[in-house]
């Protein structure tokens, strides 16, 4: 069909919105230390802090380089090529967001609540949050599982 001026009609283009395609953040811990420091490493404590605030605030460039994707509801903390024990010298780790913590195997990686002679709880999960911890040994913690938690799933 032709337009009133005799020109051929051009097809109309429409834009269709797409679903959210943001990739969740993956934080790759590369140190057995329990520190928050500008040392080029990403520790478990630094990774948990970043997930809690949903940002890389306070991390140095080396630590930020260990994070891919965008922070959101399904962030993952991993430990590629890391073996040994992370002794929590700074006390328990508070998990304030939904997160998946994926270890390398229960015989490969341990998170211990005991540092020196003092033991602390290993993780404290905020109410209403879903935390999955897999393939990590949790040891020497001082605390208990609450009625709302299911061992093996939180």
């Amino acid at each position: 069909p032709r337009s009133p001026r005799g020109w051929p009609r051009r097809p109309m283009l429409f834009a269709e919105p797409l679903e959210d395609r943001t990739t969740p953040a993956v934080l790759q811990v590369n140190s057995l230390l329990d520190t928050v420091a500008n040392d080029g490493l990403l520790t478990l404590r630094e990774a948990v802090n970043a997930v809690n605030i949903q940002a890389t605030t306070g991390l140095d460039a080396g630590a930020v380089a260990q994070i891919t994707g965008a922070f959101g509801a399904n962030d993952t903390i991993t430990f590629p090529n890391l073996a040994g024990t992370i002794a929590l010298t700074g006390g328990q780790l508070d998990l304030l967001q939904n997160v998946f913590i994926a270890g390398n195997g229960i015989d490969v990686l341990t998170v211990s609540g005991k540092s020196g002679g003092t033991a602390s709880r290993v993780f404290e999960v905020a109410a209403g949050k879903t935390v999955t911890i897999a393939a990590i040994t949790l040891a020497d913690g001082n605390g208990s599982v609450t009625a709302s938690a299911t061992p093996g799933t939180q």
Side-chain angles (χ1 to χ4, degrees):
R2 296 206 171 259
S3 70
R5 295 186 179 185
W7 299 327
R9 289 190 185 223
R10 295 185 185 182
M12 297 198 59
L13 301 177
F14 296 95
E16 179 180 336
L18 299 174
E19 70 277 357
D20 182 19
R21 295 186 182 197
T22 304
T23 305
V26 176
L27 299 88
Q28 298 181 337
V29 173
N30 61 356
S31 172
L32 294 173
L33 299 174
D34 182 37
T35 58
V36 175
N38 290 328
D39 55 8
L41 301 171
L42 182 65
T43 65
L44 176 58
R45 186 167 301 277
E46 289 170 328
V48 166
N49 289 345
V51 168
N52 284 345
I53 65 170
Q54 298 284 284
T56 58
T57 305
L59 296 178
D60 63 28
V64 171
Q66 301 304 312
I67 302 171
T68 59
F71 289 102
N74 298 305
D75 299 325
T76 300
I77 298 173
T78 65
F79 306 83
N81 305 314
L82 200 60
T85 299
I86 299 171
L88 298 181
T89 59
Q92 75 182 22
L93 294 168
D94 296 321
L95 302 173
L96 306 178
Q97 302 291 335
N98 298 338
V99 65
F100 176 47
I101 301 174
N104 299 331
I106 59 172
D107 57 338
V108 177
L109 187 64
T110 300
V111 179
S112 174
K114 191 169 189 178
S115 175
T118 305
S120 69
R121 178 178 286 140
V122 177
F123 294 110
E124 173 77 21
V125 179
K129 298 304 175 183
T130 300
V131 173
T132 302
I133 301 170
I136 296 176
T137 296
L138 303 180
D140 306 317
N142 181 14
S144 61
V145 175
T146 63
S148 64
T150 304
T153 61
Q154 292 191 3

